[in-house]
Amino acid sequence: MERVTMADVANKANVSKSTVSQYINNRFEYMSLETKKRIECAIEELNYQPNIIARSLKQKKTYTIGVIVANILHTFSTQVIRAIEDECQRKNVNVIVCNADDQPSKERKYIETLRAKQVDGLIIFPTGGNLDLYKKLEKSGYPLVFVDRTVENTDITSVLLDNEKASSLAVDHLVGKGYRNIAFLTTSIEMNITPRIERMDGFKKALQKHNLPLLEQLFAGEEIHKMQEKMHFMFSQDKVPDAIICGNDLTLLEVLKFCRKKALTIPTDVALVSIDEVSFSEIYNPPITVVTQPSYEIGTYAAQQLLQKADEHEKTEETIIRFEPKLVVRSST
Amino acid sequence: MERVTMADVANKANVSKSTVSQYINNRFEYMSLETKKRIECAIEELNYQPNIIARSLKQKKTYTIGVIVANILHTFSTQVIRAIEDECQRKNVNVIVCNADDQPSKERKYIETLRAKQVDGLIIFPTGGNLDLYKKLEKSGYPLVFVDRTVENTDITSVLLDNEKASSLAVDHLVGKGYRNIAFLTTSIEMNITPRIERMDGFKKALQKHNLPLLEQLFAGEEIHKMQEKMHFMFSQDKVPDAIICGNDLTLLEVLKFCRKKALTIPTDVALVSIDEVSFSEIYNPPITVVTQPSYEIGTYAAQQLLQKADEHEKTEETIIRFEPKLVVRSST
DNA sequence: CATTTTTAATAAATCGGTTTAGTTATTTAT
DNA sequence: ATAAATAACTAAACCGATTTATTAAAAATG
């Protein structure tokens, strides 16, 4: 347990700490070959490993970034995180992931502890509930990138999907297939969460584009545990939907649960399109048509943006970067 | 960006750094109420936040643990991680999660960088490929807990499922339902990975218990990308399986893919039991019978064990802790 | 009133590195 | 032969906290 320090190495090799430090940082210019070898041996023998904490303190860099995800349960979140981690590993940066569980208070706490831990920057899937903090971070020039969602009244770089287009792709496809009573369902839109709002808007615009009526009972943003009830209501109206667009993966699960309960056959009783990919879309009976996000690209791009900011400490010009959704047609439509 | 330090607060409040430190650590005993208030104000005004890096350096504690998961793609892994994070949050400890991607070299690298980062302990889903390092850590008394897998020739605390029982539950159930040609399929068993080996063994023992023959062609541990081929082979033999036990969730996905390709109806053509829960088991057509692990309990327990070791720095007595699997019968059998 | 104890606070060492400004000794240039 | 340049190092300050030993003043005790 007794850790070996640089001083121990210096002693053993009969040089000063400074020289060992030079060695550790691969600055061999001012060091004889003989010295270099002695240090090498000492490190080997003592099994020395530098204390990164000490280095971080002096250098004011931790080579660590934080990721605060609003809700880790979304498949999209996990994929983006995966991409961020890969990109950071390439750049030799560590990642600490925190899940805010959709609670602004948790998000706030994580932002604060991660800053206290001196992480070099933050990638946040913002809950939207901490505008003051976001602004404070922005003003202080702290490296910050938003993913999946934007926050109004800030100029923080945000990397996200062209959500309206995603809805439009789904609607175009369904209309093309002859469906006319298209419903749109998503998780709660109370909190002004970008993708939900934009996908809903995109849905409405797309319906208008096709000259389809906008029926109140055919779209809803509802909390997950009230969704069954909501669908029950939808299907008890006179205009029963012949197709449903699920605003995200969690919604899809609820819709499938409902279909199973009501013994609705897909796609004959009702067609289904999910925005966001799910693990089982290909192997489900029937396989499910989805609009996918390029989540890996989004994550990679976000990480690159952040690392660039953390490195150069300059603002990058663009503030909102949109990625293109893609329709993958399967048998649920 | 210019960070406020304790010295700044001390200046503003007209006290020494020491006193501010006492304040930060809630040791108000030797401090007048007046001083306390002055410090409070100064902190408020300057918006001071302690630098945890500096604290860690002195205290030799980072209040951070590392989790190195062999393969993050398993549902089980993500659930365990979730539990670990929850437990650690309760104890005000941060978690850094790393994915070794089943590669011992990556695992080694992560162990080393996390140690260099001075994390207070490690929870590892071991790849099994770094015995020397495991032993070194064990010998040095470094807090360490294994999850999901054990490693032979070490006495490192391991928290895992009673895997043999899991297989036995599945077999008992299938035999009870009248299935006789039961196949067992899992991902590669080359690397001696505990759950795969034990589940396979459990499967064989259970067959023997029921006096069923052990047919070579009805069990396999195969790499994921060769699995379709393997199943093709299985189903081209004279004794075609009437039931398949999937050794884990990734295997289940492959089996379902195969069933879809070959238009096999579940459970009439072939019954299915999956060891490990998946997100879609309830909503699949048909819903899938699974043997679940108490992954949340496993994760919580592992975290508790580790935090205890990190705190008290004593060995806990038990080395292998097994949790009970549970059969959840659905319509795939 | 002198002495001890308690209270309230501080100076300085420390953690384990990095970095800057020197210091020798040797070599090269003048 | 002397000055300048270079090679090969090192001492000491520093990062921002914690902690130990110490001090000065006030309060309690005999």
Side-chain angles (χ1 to χ4, degrees):
Chain A
M1 227 27 222
E2 8 53 60
R3 300 238 66 196
V4 178
T5 77
M6 191 170 265
D8 299 329
V9 175
N11 268 340
K12 179 140 222 156
N14 248 310
V15 293
S16 70
K17 270 192 343 178
S18 327
T19 307
V20 178
S21 177
Q22 303 286 15
Y23 176 92
I24 291 294
N25 292 286
N26 294 307
R27 290 190 281 260
F28 305 120
E29 303 96 53
Y30 302 121
M31 187 182 308
S32 68
L33 203 72
E34 209 247 322
T35 308
K36 187 179 160 189
K37 278 194 180 143
R38 274 215 318 285
I39 296 176
E40 204 171 301
C41 283
I43 287 175
E44 179 71 25
E45 270 185 63
L46 298 172
N47 187 28
Y48 167 72
Q49 267 195 298
N51 181 329
I52 294 190
I53 293 285
R55 162 186 298 174
S56 294
L57 179 58
K58 176 70 190 188
Q59 293 191 330
K60 301 183 170 203
K61 271 209 124 209
T62 54
Y63 303 95
T64 302
I65 64 159
V67 176
I68 302 172
V69 53
N71 189 337
I72 192 95
L73 291 179
H74 290 286
T75 311
F76 172 71
S77 309
T78 61
Q79 290 171 337
V80 171
I81 292 169
R82 196 79 206 283
I84 294 172
E85 283 174 338
D86 285 355
E87 179 63 18
C88 286
Q89 229 210 329
R90 258 171 249 134
K91 307 276 171 68
N92 263 305
V93 167
N94 275 93
V95 180
I96 301 182
V97 179
C98 304
N99 174 27
D101 228 350
D102 282 328
Q103 293 167 237
S105 62
K106 274 201 183 181
E107 179 183 57
R108 165 168 245 111
K109 196 187 150 198
Y110 278 131
I111 291 178
E112 278 165 0
T113 59
L114 286 174
R115 288 224 62 198
K117 270 185 179 278
Q118 315 296 117
V119 297
D120 300 335
L122 287 174
I123 296 180
I124 304 182
F125 296 58
T127 61
N130 289 307
L131 189 60
D132 58 326
L133 237 185
Y134 305 147
K135 278 186 141 344
K136 210 179 80 184
L137 290 175
E138 184 189 14
K139 215 178 86 197
S140 76
Y142 187 70
L144 184 59
V145 170
F146 283 160
V147 170
D148 189 44
R149 308 170 177 186
T150 44
V151 174
E152 279 179 36
N153 304 318
T154 70
D155 286 324
I156 298 165
T157 303
S158 306
V159 186
L160 68 163
L161 185 70
D162 184 341
N163 285 297
E164 295 204 355
K165 176 124 181 232
S167 291
S168 143
L169 280 178
V171 172
D172 291 355
H173 170 64
L174 286 170
V175 170
K177 284 272 183 173
Y179 298 98
R180 288 296 174 270
N181 293 324
I182 305 171
F184 185 93
L185 202 64
T186 192
T187 37
S188 176
I189 53 172
E190 299 278 287
M191 293 193 298
N192 252 41
I193 291 167
T194 316
R196 299 181 195 165
I197 300 293
E198 292 181 348
R199 289 175 195 179
M200 180 72 91
D201 286 352
F203 168 71
K204 292 178 186 169
K205 285 186 193 165
L207 283 190
Q208 284 166 348
K209 190 176 66 184
H210 290 286
N211 292 313
L212 288 170
L214 248 176
L215 302 174
E216 269 291 343
Q217 71 267 31
L218 287 190
F219 56 88
E222 192 58 81
E223 280 181 56
I224 215 84
H225 64 274
K226 286 191 191 157
M227 213 168 259
Q228 294 301 322
E229 201 184 319
K230 189 81 196 177
M231 295 187 66
H232 195 82
F233 172 74
M234 259 187 193
F235 278 80
S236 65
Q237 303 287 107
D238 47 335
K239 275 268 195 178
V240 166
D242 57 2
I244 303 178
I245 300 174
C246 303
N248 58 43
D249 53 345
L250 301 185
T251 306
L252 174 66
L253 282 179
E254 290 300 311
V255 170
L256 289 175
K257 206 184 287 176
F258 181 81
C259 290
R260 152 153 299 282
K261 213 166 53 188
K262 298 289 171 185
L264 295 172
T265 310
I266 306 165
T268 44
D269 290 333
V270 62
L272 239 51
V273 179
S274 166
I275 302 184
D276 281 358
E277 183 62 278
V278 288
S279 65
F280 55 86
S281 60
E282 281 184 81
I283 50 138
Y284 198 76
N285 288 317
I288 296 160
T289 297
V290 300
V291 176
T292 61
Q293 307 195 43
S295 40
Y296 203 86
E297 285 79 0
I298 290 178
T300 306
Y301 192 83
Q304 287 168 346
Q305 288 283 312
L306 186 73
L307 294 177
Q308 191 187 332
K309 285 187 196 212
D311 245 30
E312 308 167 12
H313 243 289
E314 297 175 4
K315 276 187 184 165
T316 43
E317 348 54 66
E318 299 171 285
T319 57
I320 296 194
I321 301 102
R322 299 258 178 196
F323 280 72
E324 288 294 300
K326 213 178 82 190
L327 178 75
V328 180
V329 179
R330 300 205 181 92
S331 318
S332 68
T333 50
Chain B
M1 225 27 220
E2 7 53 62
R3 298 239 66 193
V4 179
T5 77
M6 191 171 265
D8 298 330
V9 175
N11 268 340
K12 178 140 223 156
N14 248 311
V15 293
S16 71
K17 271 191 345 179
S18 326
T19 307
V20 178
S21 177
Q22 302 285 14
Y23 176 92
I24 291 294
N25 292 285
N26 293 307
R27 290 189 283 261
F28 304 120
E29 304 95 53
Y30 303 122
M31 188 182 307
S32 69
L33 202 72
E34 210 247 321
T35 309
K36 185 179 160 188
K37 278 193 181 144
R38 274 214 319 284
I39 297 177
E40 204 170 303
C41 284
I43 287 176
E44 178 71 26
E45 271 186 61
L46 297 172
N47 187 28
Y48 167 72
Q49 267 195 300
N51 181 328
I52 293 189
I53 293 285
R55 163 186 297 174
S56 293
L57 178 58
K58 176 70 191 189
Q59 292 192 331
K60 301 183 169 201
K61 270 208 125 211
T62 53
Y63 303 96
T64 302
I65 64 159
V67 176
I68 302 172
V69 54
N71 188 337
I72 193 95
L73 291 178
H74 290 286
T75 311
F76 172 71
S77 308
T78 60
Q79 289 171 337
V80 171
I81 291 169
R82 197 80 206 280
I84 293 173
E85 283 174 337
D86 285 355
E87 180 63 19
C88 287
Q89 228 209 329
R90 259 171 249 133
K91 306 277 171 65
N92 264 305
V93 168
N94 276 92
V95 180
I96 301 183
V97 179
C98 304
N99 175 26
D101 229 350
D102 282 327
Q103 294 168 236
S105 62
K106 273 202 182 180
E107 179 184 57
R108 166 168 246 109
K109 195 186 151 199
Y110 279 130
I111 292 177
E112 277 163 1
T113 59
L114 286 174
R115 286 224 63 198
K117 269 183 179 281
Q118 313 297 118
V119 298
D120 299 336
L122 286 174
I123 295 179
I124 304 183
F125 296 58
T127 61
N130 289 306
L131 189 59
D132 59 326
L133 236 186
Y134 305 148
K135 279 186 142 341
K136 210 179 80 183
L137 290 174
E138 184 189 16
K139 215 179 87 197
S140 77
Y142 188 70
L144 184 58
V145 170
F146 282 160
V147 170
D148 189 43
R149 309 172 177 184
T150 45
V151 174
E152 278 180 37
N153 304 319
T154 69
D155 287 323
I156 297 164
T157 304
S158 305
V159 186
L160 68 163
L161 185 70
D162 185 339
N163 284 298
E164 296 205 356
K165 176 124 181 233
S167 291
S168 141
L169 281 177
V171 172
D172 292 355
H173 170 65
L174 287 170
V175 169
K177 284 272 183 173
Y179 299 97
R180 288 297 174 270
N181 293 323
I182 305 171
F184 184 93
L185 202 63
T186 192
T187 36
S188 176
I189 55 172
E190 299 278 285
M191 293 193 299
N192 252 40
I193 291 167
T194 316
R196 299 181 196 165
I197 301 292
E198 291 181 349
R199 289 174 194 179
M200 180 71 90
D201 285 353
F203 168 71
K204 292 179 185 170
K205 285 186 192 164
L207 284 190
Q208 284 168 348
K209 191 176 68 185
H210 290 286
N211 291 314
L212 288 171
L214 247 177
L215 302 174
E216 268 292 344
Q217 70 267 31
L218 287 190
F219 55 90
E222 192 59 79
E223 279 181 58
I224 215 85
H225 64 272
K226 288 192 192 158
M227 214 168 260
Q228 294 301 322
E229 199 184 321
K230 190 80 196 179
M231 294 186 67
H232 195 82
F233 172 74
M234 258 187 194
F235 278 79
S236 66
Q237 302 287 108
D238 46 336
K239 275 269 195 176
V240 165
D242 56 2
I244 302 178
I245 300 174
C246 303
N248 58 43
D249 54 346
L250 301 185
T251 307
L252 174 66
L253 283 179
E254 290 300 311
V255 170
L256 289 176
K257 206 184 287 177
F258 181 81
C259 291
R260 153 153 299 281
K261 212 166 52 187
K262 298 289 171 185
L264 295 172
T265 311
I266 306 166
T268 44
D269 290 333
V270 62
L272 240 49
V273 179
S274 166
I275 303 184
D276 280 358
E277 183 65 276
V278 288
S279 65
F280 56 86
S281 59
E282 281 184 80
I283 49 139
Y284 198 76
N285 288 318
I288 296 159
T289 297
V290 299
V291 176
T292 62
Q293 306 195 44
S295 40
Y296 202 86
E297 285 79 0
I298 289 177
T300 306
Y301 192 82
Q304 287 169 345
Q305 288 283 313
L306 186 73
L307 294 177
Q308 191 186 332
K309 284 188 197 211
D311 245 31
E312 308 168 11
H313 242 288
E314 296 175 5
K315 277 187 185 162
T316 43
E317 349 53 64
E318 299 171 285
T319 56
I320 297 196
I321 301 102
R322 298 259 179 197
F323 279 72
E324 289 294 300
K326 214 178 82 190
L327 177 75
V328 180
V329 179
R330 299 205 181 92
S331 319
S332 68
T333 50

